[in-house]
């Protein structure tokens, strides 16, 4: 399932995939795969993304039905 929430939050902060990747210590490809729903990040990476984007785990990773 695609994670459009991360992409929206990233764009709100005017960050490219590469910018976000650099801030959280992964490659741009990793961020792209997370946004595409093709990679399940570790909890530590999820927390780093949330902290960087000023969001909670629920904001970015909770799947609404």
């Amino acid at each position: 399932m695609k994670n459009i929430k991360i992409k929206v939050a990233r764009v709100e902060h005017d960050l490219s995939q590469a910018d976000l990747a650099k801030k959280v210590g992964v490659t741009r490809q990793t961020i792209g795969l997370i946004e595409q729903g093709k990679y399940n990040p570790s909890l530590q990476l999820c927390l780093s993304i949330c902290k960087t984007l000023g969001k909670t785990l629920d904001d970015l990773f909770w799947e609404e039905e």
Side-chain angles (χ1 to χ4, degrees):
M1 181 171 192
K2 286 191 175 186
N3 192 328
I4 195 75
K5 295 175 186 180
I6 291 177
K7 183 174 183 176
V8 169
R10 178 174 57 76
V11 171
E12 286 175 353
H13 284 80
D14 197 30
L15 294 171
S16 67
Q17 286 182 346
D19 294 334
L20 178 57
K22 186 174 182 180
K23 288 179 179 284
V24 299
V26 296
T27 65
R28 181 205 56 79
Q29 290 84 354
T30 300
I31 299 300
L33 289 172
I34 293 169
E35 289 181 358
Q36 293 171 29
K38 296 181 179 178
Y39 179 80
N40 289 322
S42 68
L43 179 57
Q44 186 61 45
L45 179 52
C46 291
L47 291 171
S48 293
I49 291 170
C50 290
K51 184 177 179 181
T52 300
L53 297 176
K55 301 286 186 179
T56 66
L57 283 170
D58 285 348
D59 291 339
L60 296 181
F61 294 98
W62 186 259
E63 291 183 19
E64 296 179 17
E65 298 176 30

